[in-house]
Amino acid sequence: MTEMTPQAAAAEIASGSVSDAPVGALDRIFRLTERGTSAGREVMAGATTFAAMAYIIAVNPAIMSNAGMDRADLVSATALAAIFGSVMMGLWANLPLAVAPAMGSNVIFTYVIVKQMGMPWQGALAMVAFTGVLFLILSLSKLRERVAKDVPEALKIGIQAAVGTLIVFIALRGAGFIVQNPSTYIAMGSLRSPPVLLTLFGLLLTPVLVARRVPAALILSIAVLTLIGFFVPGANGKMVTSVPSAIMSWPRWPTSTFMALDIGYLFSHFVVALPLLFYFLCAEFFSTLGTLIGVTGAANLRRPDGSIPNATAAFATDATASIVGPLLGTSVVTAYIESITGVQAGGRTGLTSLTVAAFFFLALFFWPIFVIIPAQATAPALVLVGVLMMQGLARIDMTDLGNAVPIVLTLLVTVLTNNLINGMALGTLSYIALEVTVGRRSQVPGMVWGLGVVFVAYAIVIAQIF
């Protein structure tokens, strides 16, 4: 029997040639019976996944608004990007993967590219969109397998851990829990400050909720801290959480960010942008790969040879969403590892992803609430996200200096200089130096040599500019 794709089945239904009941149509489209699930179970799985990742609607705008973008428009752009990516993943790849703007990439976008390097956010959006185009080409070609093979695990883990640590630092600084100090450079905020105490309470509450496997732990933590913030005095005599203008409102189109890309700026500053393009490309690729492996494994969807079903469609979905995301006004869009929570609830098909998209659509009507969530409420959730990004360190043999030095340099230099590119550069160059010194020059992939040249050229250009 010839297998019918979701697109073909949908077309057959639209033509009126299918006489089955609606549930039968869903079965044909998403192969529910074949994968041992039901429509009701898929909807519950989608609701579970949404609850686990709904924090992104609050956190992404809170971060990216620091780049000078309108926060209310960012709420809409975040939800719309998640809707587009999740619908595409559900209909094309038929996998229970939810898609939304990526944590980590939004931090690099805001604090490294815009605030540190001085690139206007319009130019930064153009760079992200261009990365999406490159990723789409990579996804549809055999280069995907080569990239997965050639980039050393130490560099991948080092970059991921560095971004996780940077997220933690920026979150605590934004909440006032970490402050400047003339003697020690940084210090903890005063425990006599109510906002600092609120953040401290969140730092204790959030990991407890996650460790206890409380459903929707992160969004629950954000909600609790936001509510407490109504009664906690902040700066200028105002409360930490301000009163929203309304509870519900008609969805607003992201007018100020939609199609605001500055392509000309990207190409006029291409040499400066090149290392960042590499970061976004690698971060998106390996994040998607890791999520695909984890989610399909948990759902028992991999083929007997270990391959991932519809992997090309899944990668291409991520890439396409990362082109559409910047057009709406947000950063890189990727598949979320939180999708595993939906899989644990029984999700096995793309109907789970469509359910997630439906919940993001409903969230568009509550944008006035999301724009008043304070930094003290989002910081603990960001700390947990950063911690999860560092878990890859457990897979590395840190007794081998060839692994340890690049990872530690990448992580520490990134955080101490507040610059990911500095960390990536020193980590990569130290990896090359150590491999050559111990007689493993032939084992250094050509891609890593090329990256080393890029970082040296980047350093020369930056030295001339600043």
Side-chain angles (χ1 to χ4, degrees):
M1 178 177 177
T2 303
E3 179 181 304
M4 178 174 286
T5 66
Q7 300 95 318
E12 186 175 338
I13 292 167
S15 68
S17 60
V18 177
S19 59
D20 304 38
V23 172
L26 289 176
D27 198 354
R28 290 170 61 85
I29 295 172
F30 297 105
R31 297 157 53 195
L32 301 176
T33 301
E34 178 184 329
R35 295 190 181 179
T37 184
S38 65
R41 185 180 298 171
E42 293 293 299
V43 170
M44 287 302 299
T48 303
T49 297
F50 174 78
M53 62 182 290
Y55 67 89
I56 193 64
I57 309 175
V59 172
N60 192 52
I63 292 173
M64 294 189 66
S65 61
N66 289 293
M69 306 168 75
D70 183 85
R71 187 167 179 175
D73 281 356
L74 283 167
V75 172
S76 299
T78 300
L80 289 170
I83 292 168
F84 175 85
S86 297
V87 167
M88 190 175 178
M89 184 69 76
L91 291 180
W92 190 9
N94 194 25
L95 291 172
L97 282 166
V99 178
M103 287 303 308
S105 293
N106 50 13
V107 171
I108 302 305
F109 178 99
T110 301
Y111 293 98
V112 175
I113 301 175
V114 176
K115 300 198 75 172
Q116 196 172 83
M117 300 178 64
M119 185 181 293
W121 60 263
Q122 295 89 342
L125 285 177
M127 186 180 66
V128 174
F130 184 69
T131 305
V133 173
L134 295 178
F135 185 37
L136 182 58
I137 296 171
L138 179 68
S139 299
L140 298 174
S141 71
K142 293 184 179 180
L143 285 173
R144 187 178 69 204
E145 288 79 9
R146 182 172 178 181
V147 171
K149 177 183 176 182
D150 283 1
V151 177
E153 189 73 6
L155 294 183
K156 289 187 289 188
I157 296 299
I159 292 171
Q160 183 175 333
V163 173
T165 309
L166 189 61
I167 287 175
V168 171
F169 177 75
I170 289 173
L172 295 179
R173 187 180 63 186
F177 194 80
I178 290 177
V179 296
Q180 291 183 340
N181 184 287
S183 301
T184 61
Y185 297 104
I186 61 172
M188 190 172 77
S190 173
L191 291 179
R192 290 178 294 181
S193 168
V196 171
L197 291 175
L198 179 60
T199 306
L200 177 61
F201 172 68
L203 291 174
L204 299 175
L205 170 68
T206 307
V208 169
L209 293 177
V210 174
R212 295 287 298 177
R213 299 185 181 277
V214 174
L218 293 184
I219 194 65
L220 178 62
S221 165
I222 292 173
V224 169
L225 295 171
T226 298
L227 289 173
I228 296 174
F230 282 117
F231 309 99
V232 175
N236 303 321
K238 298 180 180 179
M239 296 296 150
V240 167
T241 305
S242 57
V243 178
S245 57
I247 301 299
M248 291 183 63
S249 181
W250 285 108
R252 70 182 266 169
W253 185 254
T255 307
S256 65
T257 60
F258 180 65
M259 296 292 289
L261 294 76
D262 187 350
I263 302 295
Y265 188 93
L266 168 63
F267 288 104
S268 64
H269 295 75
F270 192 76
V271 175
V272 176
L274 194 57
L276 292 164
L277 288 171
F278 178 82
Y279 162 74
F280 280 122
L281 187 62
C282 282
E284 186 172 5
F285 176 79
F286 290 111
S287 172
T288 303
L289 179 62
T291 300
L292 273 175
I293 292 172
V295 173
T296 56
N300 197 28
L301 291 177
R302 283 191 228 151
R303 300 188 180 100
D305 62 357
S307 62
I308 299 170
N310 300 329
T312 297
F315 276 105
T317 292
D318 259 29
T320 306
S322 286
I323 299 172
V324 173
L327 296 178
L328 293 167
T330 188
S331 186
V332 171
V333 179
T334 190
Y336 262 58
I337 193 63
E338 283 85 350
S339 301
I340 286 181
T341 61
V343 166
Q344 291 171 339
R348 294 295 183 272
T349 75
L351 185 55
T352 295
S353 303
L354 294 186
T355 303
V356 173
F359 275 102
F360 271 109
F361 174 75
L362 292 176
L364 283 169
F365 292 86
F366 295 91
W367 66 265
I369 295 178
F370 290 110
V371 298
I372 58 97
I373 295 173
Q376 289 75 17
T378 57
L382 283 169
V383 169
L384 259 293
V385 171
V387 169
L388 293 174
M389 293 182 71
M390 297 180 222
Q391 290 184 343
L393 292 171
R395 303 198 304 268
I396 297 296
D397 178 11
M398 296 297 282
T399 63
D400 181 354
L401 288 182
N403 290 329
V405 172
I407 289 175
V408 172
L409 282 179
T410 302
L411 193 155
L412 289 181
V413 173
T414 293
V415 176
L416 295 178
T417 66
N418 200 28
N419 189 312
L420 175 67
I421 304 303
N422 289 344
M424 287 175 62
L426 282 176
T428 301
L429 295 175
S430 67
Y431 176 85
I432 294 173
L434 284 164
E435 291 297 293
V436 170
T437 301
V438 299
R440 297 197 295 249
R441 178 174 180 172
S442 60
Q443 297 183 27
V444 178
M447 185 177 295
V448 175
W449 282 109
L451 184 58
V453 172
V454 168
F455 281 128
V456 171
Y458 174 82
I460 295 172
V461 171
I462 291 298
Q464 298 300 317
I465 295 176
F466 299 101

